[in-house]
Amino acid sequence: MEKLLNALRAKGYKMTPQRRAVAAALIKCGKFATAQQLLLQVKQTTPDVSLDTIYRNLSLFVKLGLVTEIHLPGREGNIFEVTTNQHHHHLVCINCGKTECLDYCPISSHDLEKARERDFQIISHALEFYGYCRTCRTAG
Ligand SMILES: [Zn+2]
Ligand SMILES: [Zn+2]
Ligand SMILES: [Zn+2]
């Protein structure tokens, strides 16, 4: 959590109590959290916080690259993960939302060259793999 807070300070953002509470909730919720889960966590220490505040802070963290947003198609809200040092992607179950880290990047420098040919400067990319986890497959 200090890492997240230090990164915010380093970028010149004020450390408001709400911002601190959202950062703390991200760490407390563990690897993956939805905005709703974060809201429940934050409310334990900061009862007057709204889902809007959670989203506002999350989008700032995402913009700064401190938090990674994992897109869930056809479900309420996305999943948030504190960005790790190792660039990686995710496997997402479209039935139950279970998410796993896939510890490598399948995008080759050749793929990225193709985009550069279009005179586009790539700074990052996101990629999720959608399917069904073992539990959902065996449940039919
Ligand atoms: Zn599943
Ligand atoms: Zn991950
Ligand atoms: Zn990648």
Side-chain angles (χ1 to χ4, degrees), residues 70-79 92-97 130:
I70 301 160
H71 300 270
L72 273 178
R75 287 176 70 94
E76 289 270 320
N78 292 331
I79 295 172
V92 182
C93 177
I94 53 174
N95 188 54
C96 69
Y130 302 118

Side-chain angles (χ1 to χ4, degrees), residues 92-98 131-137:
V92 182
C93 177
I94 53 174
N95 188 54
C96 69
K98 182 170 182 275
Y132 296 98
C133 72
R134 185 187 296 268
T135 313
C136 291
R137 282 202 319 277

Side-chain angles (χ1 to χ4, degrees), residues 5 7 18 30 36-37 41 44 47-48 53-54 61 77 84-85 88 93 95 97-99 106 112 116 118-119 125 129:
L5 297 179
Q18 288 182 335
Q36 282 290 351
Q37 287 166 342
Q41 184 66 46
Q44 292 182 11
D48 60 337
T53 307
I54 303 287
F61 294 167
T84 56
N85 293 330
H88 67 279
C93 177
N95 188 54
K98 182 170 182 275
T99 303
L112 296 176
R116 281 194 198 101
R118 313 191 73 137
D119 194 19
H125 65 262
F129 297 91

Side-chain angles (χ1 to χ4, degrees), residues 53-112:
T53 307
I54 303 287
Y55 272 118
R56 242 196 338 268
N57 282 288
L58 280 175
S59 60
L60 172 70
F61 294 167
V62 169
K63 198 178 88 186
L64 296 175
L66 303 172
V67 165
T68 301
E69 186 167 12
I70 301 160
H71 300 270
L72 273 178
R75 287 176 70 94
E76 289 270 320
N78 292 331
I79 295 172
F80 297 88
E81 175 188 52
V82 177
T83 305
T84 56
N85 293 330
Q86 166 80 34
H87 168 79
H88 67 279
H89 295 282
H90 296 94
L91 305 172
V92 182
C93 177
I94 53 174
N95 188 54
C96 69
K98 182 170 182 275
T99 303
E100 274 181 68
C101 297
L102 184 72
D103 287 323
Y104 81 107
C105 178
I107 294 177
S108 69
S109 53
H110 174 78
D111 297 328
L112 296 176

